[in-house]
Amino acid sequence: MARKMLKDGEVAVATDGGGEESYDYDLFVIGAGSGGVRGSRTSAGFGAKVAICELPFHPISSEWLGGHGGTCVIRGCVPKKILVYGASFRGEFEDAKQFGWEINGDINYNWKKLLENKTQEIVRLNGIYKRILGNSGVTMIEGAGSIVDAHTVEVTQQDGSKQRHTAKHILIATGSRAQLVNIPGKELAITSDEALSLEELPKRAVILGGGYIAVEFASIWRGLGAEVDLFYRKELPLRGFDDEMRTIVASNLEGRGIRLHPGANLTELSKTADGIKVVTDKGDELIADVVLFATGRAPNSNRLNLEAVGVEVDQVGAIKVDEYSRTSVPNIWAVGDVTNRINLTPVALMEATCFSKTVFGGQPIKPDYKDVPCAVFCIPPLSVVGLSEQEALEEAKNDILVYTSSFNPMKNSISKRQEKSVMKLVVDAETDKVLGAAMCGPDAAEIMQGLAVALKAGATKATFDSTVGIHPSAAEEFVTMRTLTRRVSPASKPKTNL
């Protein structure tokens, strides 16, 4: 197959000028997570000779342990969602009684069984990623990659031996890693890596953080029967999401029995005979079996030797790239969490696909970050696409129309669970264009994926209104919201520090 690789100086997004040289590979990829695997196999599909290096497999990552599939598959989205499924059954068993199911006696739970099945699944997926690469003709090399110069990667194996490989282009896709907060006793805390592989299910859990990971693990552990205390610095969890939806999530977490501690932080951890003593900045003390730090992740860029070759990084270590994912060194590129743009697996896939098309497909294309949907898999989940009400007001030239629907799902009307589903549309008053959509309730992510297509296609509120709903379903609420909740002017936008 003829290669369609961009020639030096051919277009603005191609590599810098210079004569053709001979290299071992057209492309060498460092990191076989979602972005690295996608970039490798799509580039190979365009005829490029590709190699990729990745660390040996292990569920808990380190400087020398990783695995094909990366964070999402091995210690992120996939195992997390498996645990969410497991935790959701607690509510299902409670709700089932009102539907006629007579559940007598205790319902026993086997954490080790779930852990074993979760591990089997990620091992299976790790093998699938390897097969995908192999079937695409990509050469796989095990070890830690670092950059020697603009066209050379050195791979260090576990025994200390080193190999050097040259390539016309280098793609960095090393992802990010969870961090521990620097307080006394931090070594007693765990990150999401360890939380997904605990030998014993905690009975008492303390979580520090208010983002995706924090609220998801709060839901998981509470769903599996643990007492959970969630600490975060703001007034509400999930900073960056729509404030109204954040309020709903907080209410649901409390409704499920999770103790929330807004505006609070942890200052010290210490080991006691009864567990880990947790001290807060309010002077409170708790005892926990597990303390999870879920306060953010840092780009995996430290060991790549980037400074030596002139690849620029920002203050947190994220690799700086242009609109085409090219670094400050013209033939070195980077995608995914290591660039700290939108840190979602599907976004890394998009960036990697655009990279391959640009460099090897002769189709220069920039990643499009508009209307990227996402979901928080708390119980029940939150999912959004487009602008929040606050973001819409920040960007608005016109008034904003807000439509909301809060209702008791049909299932809850029988089970008597006091937990409403909430939906929201944010609309430009002049153009009628739907700027954002949000939902907190069962199946939110499944519903929002469909709405993301509508927003991407430029749907208006009239489009939603003219669409026939599916009855009975929660999703039909999005096409039956006729009554305006409020009209907000950019000039009167509320100030918030939530």
Side-chain angles (χ1 to χ4, degrees), residues 58-66 75 176-178 193-194 297:
H58 196 278
I60 300 173
S61 67
S62 71
E63 288 292 321
W64 295 100
L65 295 172
R75 61 194 73 85
S176 62
R177 182 172 300 144
D193 280 13
E194 294 84 11
R297 300 175 64 86

Side-chain angles (χ1 to χ4, degrees), residues 426-447:
V426 178
V427 180
D428 186 301
E430 294 299 317
T431 67
D432 198 42
K433 186 174 181 180
V434 178
L435 304 176
M439 175 182 175
C440 186
D443 302 316
E446 310 299 332
I447 293 169

Side-chain angles (χ1 to χ4, degrees), residues 253-274:
L253 293 174
E254 285 190 305
R256 296 266 175 164
I258 296 164
R259 292 187 289 265
L260 304 184
H261 303 268
N265 209 340
L266 306 187
T267 58
E268 184 179 357
L269 307 179
S270 59
K271 186 69 175 173
T272 71
D274 192 33

Side-chain angles (χ1 to χ4, degrees), residues 48 64 69 127 182 228 263 362 373 388 441:
W64 295 100
N182 190 23
V228 179
S388 68

Side-chain angles (χ1 to χ4, degrees), residues 378-407:
C378 45
I379 301 174
L382 167 69
S383 192
V384 303
V385 64
L387 302 180
S388 68
E389 182 177 348
Q390 292 72 39
E391 290 170 334
L393 287 170
E394 288 289 339
E395 298 184 14
K397 297 178 181 177
N398 309 312
D399 284 2
I400 297 300
L401 306 180
V402 178
Y403 296 83
T404 60
S405 177
S406 176
F407 60 94

Side-chain angles (χ1 to χ4, degrees), residues 3 29 38 44 51 123 130 146 155 166 173 209 250 260 284 301 342 356 361 364 410-411 425 449 456-457:
R3 296 174 190 161
V29 181
R38 173 63 64 86
V123 168
K130 287 184 176 180
S146 61
V155 179
T166 60
L260 304 184
D284 299 324
S301 60
I342 297 180
S356 297
M410 181 185 292
K411 182 179 176 182
L425 290 176
Q449 182 66 81
K456 201 73 175 174

Side-chain angles (χ1 to χ4, degrees), residues 234-246:
K234 294 292 185 179
E235 190 175 325
L236 291 169
L238 299 175
R239 181 170 60 89
F241 284 83
D242 186 280
D243 288 346
E244 190 170 13
M245 305 309 291
R246 294 167 68 196

